[in-house]
Amino acid sequence: MRALGRLCTDQGAPNIEVLEKLFKAIDEDADGYLSCTELKALVVGIHLEEINLHENDAIEKLMKDFDTSHDHQVEMSEFIAGVTKWLTEARGSEASSPEAGPDTMKYLDDLHEQTRREHHFLGDQSDESVETVENPRSTVIKAVLLLLLGTVIAAVFADPLVDAVNNFSSATSIPSFFISFIALPLATNSSEAVSAIIFASRKKLRSASLTFSELYGAVTMNNLLCLSVFLALVYIRGLTWDFSSEVLVILIVCVVVGVFASVRSTFPLWTSLLAFLLYPFSLVLIYVLDYKFGWS
């Protein structure tokens, strides 16, 4: 708008003359330094409202990048060095297309478009402000007490649940295997499935992260805490152990999914098909081990 010229020369190097003109244009009081107020004018001129970035946060990040002397103001040499660093990072970013050569400014447009896409997938976090925990110790104690309460409830209702499954199987002539390993898992895990679908449908990076966190939490509770309590009860009460096939299937599925998720950062559609196939594989393996090889 001020016709200062291009930020880079035809050879792709930073245009020092233009950067000096830009610095002087921002330096309204002509004292040779850029204050936070003057940097705010630069931030406003960049039109950061397109990605809904808070101006004060942008000024803080700008000052952190440029103010290498840590005197809360930016001199001309720091300004030129900061812009040069930005241009170098933009040119070397993965967003640069092949046609964005050293004598073109297209790599800036490519980086800008990549930033817009990443911000879109990240989503607007203005309504997801992080609340600080006033008393972490009491929060931890409350969480532990709730876990203990849940463990007691599970222990109290374990026998009635088993009796209800057996009675329902006898009354309806439905095999207990079908009720225990198909009907009950679908019923007890339906809440996680529905919430995961709702979060994933938003197609935002933060929502996807929350979905993974919830699923990992459910896996941890089901396979670590609940199984540990179950094994402890079997050991303490001296019960007969005939659940080797079930525990083996849990171990196999956790290892397969854990290793697969550890070596990948993106999960295409075919990965979900692989995960779904582990469910019928588990049922077949339990059936074969229990009823063909007599593990049960």
Side-chain angles (χ1 to χ4, degrees), residues 3-272:
L4 297 176
R6 294 172 54 183
L7 291 175
C8 292
T9 63
D10 293 337
Q11 291 74 32
N15 195 329
I16 304 300
E17 182 181 356
V18 171
L19 293 179
E20 291 177 351
K21 291 180 180 179
L22 178 60
F23 180 89
K24 294 177 181 179
I26 303 172
D27 185 17
E28 296 181 353
D29 55 7
D31 62 348
Y33 298 94
L34 298 182
S35 62
C36 290
T37 303
E38 291 169 333
L39 284 176
K40 185 174 183 179
L42 175 63
V43 170
V44 172
I46 298 177
H47 299 293
L48 292 174
E49 66 272 8
E50 293 182 8
I51 58 173
N52 196 26
L53 182 64
H54 197 276
E55 291 180 358
N56 292 334
D57 292 339
I59 295 170
E60 182 179 348
K61 292 180 175 64
L62 191 67
M63 185 66 73
K64 182 179 180 180
D65 270 5
F66 284 17
D67 183 22
T68 57
S69 60
H70 306 290
D71 56 357
H72 303 290
Q73 55 186 2
V74 179
E75 59 185 61
M76 182 176 292
S77 60
E78 293 175 329
F79 180 77
I80 294 176
V83 175
T84 302
K85 176 185 174 183
W86 279 3
L87 293 174
T88 303
E89 291 177 352
R91 187 182 296 109
S93 67
E94 297 179 354
S96 299
S97 57
E99 60 269 18
D103 57 345
T104 176
M105 299 294 289
K106 191 177 186 306
Y107 64 89
L108 290 179
D109 297 331
D110 295 338
L111 183 62
H112 178 62
E113 289 301 321
Q114 183 193 43
T115 303
R116 289 170 62 93
R117 288 195 302 269
E118 291 177 351
H119 183 80
H120 171 73
F121 287 124
L122 182 62
D124 186 8
Q125 302 183 41
S126 59
D127 58 344
E128 299 176 348
S129 57
V130 180
E131 296 181 359
T132 58
V133 180
E134 296 181 356
N135 194 339
R137 184 177 180 181
S138 62
T139 303
V140 172
I141 295 176
K142 181 180 179 181
V144 172
L145 291 177
L146 289 176
L147 287 175
L148 293 177
L149 177 62
T151 303
V152 172
I153 293 176
V156 170
F157 288 96
D159 286 340
L161 178 61
V162 174
D163 294 338
V165 171
N166 291 332
N167 294 334
F168 180 79
S169 175
S170 302
T172 58
S173 299
I174 300 177
S176 59
F177 179 86
F178 177 85
I179 299 177
S180 300
F181 293 99
I182 298 179
L184 282 180
L186 292 177
T188 55
N189 295 312
S190 59
S191 60
E192 286 88 353
V194 172
S195 61
I197 293 174
I198 293 176
F199 277 120
S201 63
R202 299 178 182 177
K203 297 181 179 180
K204 301 294 184 182
L205 182 61
R206 183 174 178 83
S207 300
S209 299
L210 291 174
T211 302
F212 274 109
S213 299
E214 183 178 5
L215 293 178
Y216 282 132
V219 170
T220 302
M221 290 297 294
N222 290 336
N223 296 336
L224 182 60
L225 180 62
C226 296
L227 191 58
S228 299
V229 173
F230 171 73
L231 294 176
L233 291 175
V234 171
Y235 177 78
I236 294 174
R237 299 179 62 179
L239 302 177
T240 303
W241 174 260
D242 56 0
F243 301 99
S244 298
S245 59
E246 289 86 346
V247 176
L248 178 62
V249 166
I250 292 176
L251 180 62
I252 292 175
V253 172
C254 288
V255 169
V256 171
V257 176
V259 172
F260 188 77
S262 299
V263 298
R264 294 187 62 92
S265 58
T266 58
F267 302 93
L269 181 60
W270 63 268
T271 59
S272 64

